[in-house]
Amino acid sequence: KNEVEQSPQNLTAQEGEFITINCSYSVGISALHWLQQHPGGGIVSLFMLSSGKKKHGRLIATINIQEKHSSLHITASHPRDSAVYICAVPIQGAQKLVFGQGTRLTINP
Amino acid sequence: DAGITQSPRHKVTETGTPVTLRCHQTENHRYMYWYRQDPGHGLRLIHYSYGVKDTDKGEVSDGYSVSRSKTEDFLLTLESATSSQTSVYFCAISRGRDYGYTFGSGTRLTVV
């Protein structure tokens, strides 16, 4: 069983739709990371959060430590949001990340 | 000023040859990592470093070695490249467990 599970694996939506990507994890963590990777591109860190909610522009990340679950939301989605979104958690006590498989998001105009 | 650079960006090499990938940072971060990314597997840790000359293995370390002789450089060596090592390799840096990660742009390695 993977320590980090993301859903859905693939998501296609129309421009303007509200997007939700989910991440569940099985280990105790101090923080959770959301990353973004555009096709053929590098990996960019979007958020690191340990509780509550963080917002950056149209992106919102939430985490529920008790339920071991995090969500990434995109409001008013745009084709440039098309990318793979990856959730990652540190292995407790170690300075190493475990990654989810990623969610491939496609926003059509 | 990317803060972290990988070289080369692309490389094609023959089976059995040694290959070294370089990760260079200007952030003076303590932790450096090498990952590989393959379809169906996501990102997997190869090796990481927690200081000069301090390194440890990740989950897919077989066939790879690393060295960190100074803070800013972390080298990944494939002693004898195999086709199964064809992949995209990412370097990452971090100040510590309570901080975020910065990733390099990746190195696409093809072993023929």
Side-chain angles (χ1 to χ4, degrees), chain A residues 6 26 30-31 34 38-40 43 62 65-66 70 76 93 104 107-108:
Chain A
Q6 287 186 236
S26 58
S30 56
W34 281 103
H38 280 102
I43 299 168
T62 64
I65 294 290
Q66 287 73 29
S70 177
R104 184 174 300 277
I107 304 296
N108 293 319

Side-chain angles (χ1 to χ4, degrees), chain A residues 42-62:
Chain A
I43 299 168
V44 175
S45 178
L46 297 176
F47 295 104
M48 185 182 77
L49 67 166
S50 55
S51 65
K53 175 167 54 174
K54 284 192 174 181
K55 184 175 188 289
H56 185 242
R58 294 178 295 104
L59 272 61
I60 304 165
T62 64

Side-chain angles (χ1 to χ4, degrees), chain B residues 11-20 77-82 85 109-112:
Chain B
K11 186 169 182 67
V12 180
T13 192
E14 293 186 350
T15 298
T17 61
V19 177
T20 295
T77 297
L78 290 65
E79 301 292 346
S80 177
T82 67
Q85 294 175 311
L109 177 68
T110 303
V111 183
V112 298

Side-chain angles (χ1 to χ4, degrees), chain A residues 30 33 35 37 41-43 45 48 86 91-97 99-101, chain B residues 31 33 35 37 40-43 45 48 57 90 94 96-101 103:
Chain A
S30 56
H33 300 256
L35 311 169
Q37 184 175 27
I43 299 168
S45 178
M48 185 182 77
I86 304 167
I91 299 173
Q92 190 164 19
Q95 185 59 41
K96 297 187 285 188
L97 289 180
F99 297 86
Q101 292 293 318
Chain B
Y31 294 90
Y33 305 84
Y35 296 97
Q37 186 178 43
H41 290 280
L43 284 156
L45 181 65
Y48 72 104
K57 296 179 180 180
F90 285 97
S94 175
R97 63 177 292 140
D98 296 326
Y99 298 89
Y101 287 67
F103 287 81

